[in-house]
Amino acid sequence: MLETVLLTTILLSDTVATDRSATLEDTCLSKKAQNLDEVVIVSGTGRGRKRSAKGQVASIDEHLSELKHVSLVRRGSYAWEPVVNNMQTERLSTTIDGMKIFYACTDKMDPVTSYVESGNLQSISLNSGLDGNPQATGNIGGSLDLKLRKAGFDNDPFHASASAGHEWNGHVQVYGADAALSSHRTYLNVGAFYRHADNYKVGGGDELQFSQFQKVNVFTNVGLRFPSFGGTEGGLDLLEATLIFDRATDVGYPALNMDVAKAEGLITSLSYKHLFPGASWETKAYYNHITHEMDDTKRPDVAIHMDMPGDSWTAGVYSLLTTSHKQHDIALNYDLYYNRLFADMTMYPGGAAPMYMVTWPDVGTLNTGLAVTDNVNIARNQSLRLSAKVAWQQQRLNNEEGYHALKVFFPGMTDTYHQTTGRIAASYQFSIPNSQFSIGMGWGSRAPTVTEAYGYYLNNTFDQYDYIGNPSLKNESAVELNSAVKWHPSERVNVTLDGNVFLFSNYIIGQFETRLSPMTVGAEGVKVFGNISHATIANVSLSWDWQTTEKLRWNNKVSYSSGRDADGDPLPLISPISWQSEWTYQHQRFQAQATIKGNARQSNYGEKYGETAAKAWTILNLAAQYQFSLFRSAKGRLLPKGRKISQLSIRFGVENLFDKQYGTYADWNHIPQKGRNIYMNLTFEL
Ligand SMILES: [Cu+2]
């Protein structure tokens, strides 16, 4: 299947979701799955699918790192920033079950993936490039949708699981528990998750200060279904509600000058779904609020102590109709959201009066869009996928003080802006015996982010510059071309070569502004966001899988990327050659893995943008797991078909076995990664 070429999903937990409501919905979406570039399974056994070797207790960041097109910018042990096709947050869309959510930190300490837990999710799906999920806007590099884990109707009447994990390096403790009730008419699931980590040791044994964190997460989902007016022939009506509360406290950021006292997310949604024969129509209303509080009180030698809180509120609605007609699978989506972002900063210079400034001037963004996708089955061996979205937005600067401060630099600015963005993508797939091909192209644009348009003296520790937003930025746009070839000469061998290139116009990046002086003590200078006429990012990857014997599989992948600005100089944070080779031994319920991975030296680094080269590195990881079936039922009678038996999974592994000291190109300011780390975890399912 070409699905690995076009979409990736990560499975996250240890229960296979036989969510009937999802199944019903998915009948109309089955073709769509082909175009999901990658999927990582977070919950569920999901054998043969991608998932972290740590299983259910792995963090979302660890699950994400299993995806082929994804890397992660790391500023500490917690809240890594997903990068897709070598593009960061501003060029990606991240949604939670289609819901928009925006981070609240002016320093990007809290990518939205940090406000959910593995226990909340069923899977993470990634659409590479401009062919985004229907709710995605501004996704030039790709779109991630975090699929929530729901008990579903007509499932096991009662299901519960508990997991506990320990990692010796940094004394990481992970505890999670959840329970689910399911019937024909209702379902309910609840769960809680806790993580705690002390400072970790880098290769060689030195402790990395400020790399600790702590997090709690609780969630619940409820579902109700009732026959439609006119009886079951008229279809079904489903009502579903979600609540997630997530709070991280005492989070250290060794790569930055500040830590986080508290980062809190409240995520709620209510959705109504009507299932027709051959179609489904879902309307969801949602609200989320993120509070972020930075803290430098634990740092030694702070020249000027600062308070820097940030808040993000988003309320929205989407309505998605999916239907099949002849060879077409069509999805039509309308969405609307309103987001408010506010951040300020108070500096306390010793002996002088505090200084106050607004860093995000309470920007209200009202965005509405219409998206359509059509998967066309042309013939048994050919398919076409088309997707398009147009979105319109209005932004208003609601904070007078912030507005006037920025107006000093941009006298012509107003307090209200409008933008229209869009994307269109097409891909064609065909197969011949033993081979599959796909070719695609697209065009899309994005509006500048609040930081890029209205940020005020935001210090970036990557290049040590203070950044000022630019309200007169033009939308950035890109043309994407992609192609993939999958070749399977035999049952046991699979080879995939895929590549994409993004040709940008009006690429947005910080530009030197020598007329201004920095505000942050020790900063090199000031940069103002600007458009550069063009830029290019290209990625190519090769992977091959070989089932060498019944029990032994060998997976390899290698990728190369390039990013250039208008002058042909390297863009920052572009991956050097990266590679991975993995042996997996599987015998019945036992599985063992040896993984060697590494990066070549970063020879093309963004020197012009303040980046320094990352060295080459190689590490070896080992992992093993075993699954026990504990008992069949209370009285030993045979279980009804489809009923699960209690299971205990044990996972054990060593990361960085040789205790190498290394940092990757995506480790902010080259903070070193963890040294040798032994971990063990247990997951029990009832
Ligand atoms: Cu922050």
Side-chain angles (χ1 to χ4, degrees):
M1 293 295 285
L2 266 182
E3 75 180 337
T4 43
V5 179
L6 293 176
L7 170 116
T8 315
T9 304
I10 310 188
L11 288 179
L12 300 186
S13 85
D14 267 334
T15 4
V16 183
T18 37
D19 176 350
R20 288 258 177 99
S21 68
T23 317
L24 282 173
E25 178 195 27
D26 289 348
T27 43
C28 318
L29 294 172
S30 54
K31 293 285 157 34
K32 206 170 171 182
Q34 285 187 3
N35 267 73
L36 289 181
D37 288 20
E38 292 181 275
V39 181
V40 174
I41 307 303
V42 183
S43 317
T45 42
R47 198 162 273 186
R49 313 290 297 265
K50 297 187 183 203
R51 68 176 315 176
S52 166
K54 285 183 191 168
Q56 199 160 339
V57 306
S59 68
I60 288 194
D61 304 334
E62 287 167 327
H63 284 296
L64 278 169
S65 59
E66 296 295 311
L67 296 174
K68 200 158 72 173
H69 295 96
V70 173
S71 49
L72 292 134
V73 170
R74 221 174 50 95
R75 296 170 173 88
S77 306
Y78 182 73
W80 302 345
E81 181 186 359
V83 179
V84 179
N85 286 320
N86 285 292
M87 287 175 241
Q88 286 168 264
T89 309
E90 51 275 21
R91 294 180 177 88
L92 307 178
S93 154
T94 310
T95 49
I96 300 174
D97 251 8
M99 297 181 271
K100 295 277 184 179
I101 175 165
F102 298 89
Y103 63 91
C105 175
T106 50
D107 292 349
K108 290 169 116 185
M109 287 163 144
D110 67 335
V112 295
T113 41
S114 69
Y115 292 104
V116 282
E117 247 307 337
S118 299
N120 304 151
L121 302 187
Q122 183 65 47
S123 64
I124 303 172
S125 64
L126 162 68
N127 285 51
S128 172
L130 286 158
D131 177 17
N133 59 292
Q135 292 83 21
T137 31
N139 57 300
I140 291 181
S143 59
L144 289 163
D145 190 38
L146 314 179
K147 311 268 187 209
L148 296 178
R149 178 180 172 198
K150 294 169 187 159
F153 301 100
D154 290 325
N155 240 320
D156 293 342
F158 178 72
H159 176 267
S161 77
S163 14
H166 186 74
E167 298 187 17
W168 272 262
N169 189 342
H171 303 292
V172 182
Q173 298 164 62
V174 189
Y175 302 103
D178 55 72
L181 295 169
S182 173
S183 74
H184 187 62
R185 295 234 170 273
T186 55
Y187 74 78
L188 166 74
N189 57 331
V190 292
F193 228 84
Y194 172 79
R195 283 177 197 275
H196 178 94
D198 295 336
N199 290 338
Y200 69 80
K201 290 197 173 90
V202 307
D206 289 341
E207 187 176 313
L208 185 66
Q209 293 295 312
F210 312 109
S211 56
Q212 81 290 347
F213 68 89
Q214 178 167 303
K215 152 157 181 152
V216 288
N217 174 291
V218 290
F219 74 96
T220 182
N221 296 299
V222 196
L224 263 178
R225 87 163 156 193
F226 35 93
S228 291
F229 306 105
T232 35
E233 283 103 78
L236 276 171
D237 288 297
L238 314 175
L239 209 55
E240 293 183 303
T242 294
L243 175 84
I244 299 172
F245 176 75
D246 188 284
R247 174 194 264 172
T249 46
D250 188 24
V251 185
Y253 287 82
L256 307 178
N257 305 325
M258 295 189 92
D259 303 308
V260 163
K262 188 180 86 170
E264 202 172 85
L266 174 71
I267 298 166
T268 62
S269 74
L270 181 66
S271 92
Y272 166 77
K273 207 182 283 178
H274 184 79
L275 301 174
F276 307 87
S280 89
W281 180 31
E282 183 192 20
T283 301
K284 182 184 282 179
Y286 58 90
Y287 170 77
N288 57 67
H289 179 199
I290 288 176
T291 319
H292 180 83
E293 283 169 22
M294 291 190 245
D295 174 23
D296 61 4
T297 55
K298 290 180 183 141
R299 297 294 181 111
D301 318 316
V302 174
I304 299 177
H305 163 66
M306 290 181 242
D307 271 344
M308 295 176 69
D311 270 283
S312 167
W313 298 263
T314 309
V317 61
Y318 75 78
S319 194
L320 173 68
L321 179 71
T322 53
T323 181
S324 301
H325 182 68
K326 293 189 179 155
Q327 64 267 53
H328 295 270
D329 279 335
I330 297 166
L332 198 63
N333 185 74
Y334 169 74
D335 63 46
L336 174 100
Y337 68 85
Y338 179 72
N339 167 254
R340 246 182 86 193
L341 283 180
F342 178 71
D344 59 7
M345 172 161 120
T346 314
M347 290 186 273
Y348 301 93
M355 278 160 61
Y356 176 79
M357 63 190 207
V358 174
T359 46
W360 274 348
D362 195 359
V363 181
T365 303
L366 179 72
N367 183 305
T368 181
L370 195 62
V372 60
T373 56
D374 186 6
N375 288 287
V376 195
N377 247 328
I378 302 169
R380 237 187 42 174
N381 65 338
Q382 286 177 71
S383 67
L384 182 68
R385 178 180 158 89
L386 303 165
S387 71
K389 181 162 189 176
V390 60
W392 177 86
Q393 76 174 25
Q394 172 180 294
Q395 286 188 314
R396 214 185 125 78
L397 283 62
N398 294 312
N399 184 284
E400 283 287 311
E401 190 176 344
Y403 168 57
H404 289 292
L406 206 56
K407 209 174 160 80
V408 170
F409 302 121
F410 302 95
M413 79 177 282
T414 63
D415 62 357
T416 309
Y417 286 88
H418 302 274
Q419 290 108 354
T420 305
T421 58
R423 59 176 160 87
I424 183 159
S427 69
Y428 170 73
Q429 306 172 17
F430 74 99
S431 54
I432 54 170
N434 301 332
S435 299
Q436 285 160 303
F437 303 88
S438 86
I439 182 158
M441 65 180 298
W443 174 89
S445 62
R446 70 170 182 103
T449 63
V450 166
T451 293
E452 289 166 340
Y454 318 110
Y456 191 72
Y457 282 102
L458 300 175
N459 184 251
N460 185 336
T461 53
F462 185 76
D463 56 8
Q464 303 298 337
Y465 274 75
D466 281 349
Y467 278 67
I468 295 177
N470 178 353
S472 60
L473 284 178
K474 291 188 209 117
N475 285 350
E476 175 183 293
S477 65
V479 169
E480 178 198 357
L481 305 169
N482 62 64
S483 182
V485 183
K486 196 163 181 177
W487 181 54
H488 40 97
S490 81
E491 286 275 285
R492 289 161 170 269
V493 180
N494 264 305
V495 182
T496 305
L497 175 68
D498 71 283
N500 55 35
V501 57
F502 295 85
L503 306 164
F504 287 91
S505 300
N506 294 319
Y507 187 84
I508 299 170
I509 197 163
Q511 294 172 330
F512 300 100
E513 179 48 83
T514 47
R515 290 170 295 177
L516 299 176
S517 39
M519 186 114 34
T520 309
V521 180
E524 299 270 338
V526 174
K527 284 187 187 180
V528 176
F529 284 99
N531 296 105
I532 56 174
S533 64
H534 61 276
T536 311
I537 292 178
N539 304 287
V540 54
S541 73
L542 174 69
S543 60
W544 64 103
D545 277 2
W546 183 22
Q547 188 78 42
T548 46
T549 69
E550 188 95 330
K551 292 170 185 165
L552 202 58
R553 205 172 67 231
W554 189 34
N555 293 322
N556 294 282
K557 59 184 179 188
V558 57
S559 64
Y560 172 80
S561 301
S562 164
R564 301 279 164 174
D565 68 9
D567 301 325
D569 294 322
L571 290 171
L573 283 165
I574 301 290
S575 175
I577 292 170
S578 84
W579 56 274
Q580 179 174 318
S581 182
E582 185 172 87
W583 287 93
T584 307
Y585 173 85
Q586 173 117 34
H587 179 66
Q588 290 167 359
R589 294 164 159 271
F590 174 76
Q591 185 182 304
Q593 248 168 9
T595 311
I596 307 177
K597 58 180 175 181
N599 279 5
R601 195 181 76 87
Q602 191 185 18
S603 42
N604 295 314
Y605 58 97
E607 194 176 4
K608 185 162 133 185
Y609 299 98
E611 187 172 34
T612 52
K615 293 192 192 109
W617 56 271
T618 305
I619 58 161
L620 173 66
N621 297 339
L622 301 175
Q625 66 173 80
Y626 191 83
Q627 245 177 24
F628 299 91
S629 291
L630 292 184
F631 43 82
R632 303 191 66 154
S633 77
K635 288 180 185 144
R637 61 203 148 84
L638 283 175
L639 290 159
K641 200 176 163 221
R643 184 68 63 84
K644 278 186 298 230
I645 27 189
S646 294
Q647 285 194 331
L648 178 69
S649 313
I650 296 183
R651 291 185 172 83
F652 175 79
V654 193
E655 293 170 310
N656 191 1
L657 180 70
F658 296 111
D659 203 29
K660 288 267 180 68
Q661 192 181 336
Y662 74 105
T664 76
Y665 80 99
D667 289 331
W668 204 252
N669 287 333
H670 301 303
I671 52 160
Q673 292 262 356
K674 259 187 190 176
R676 185 184 302 118
N677 180 29
I678 299 169
Y679 64 84
M680 195 179 125
N681 69 63
L682 302 170
T683 299
F684 177 71
E685 278 191 74
L686 194 65

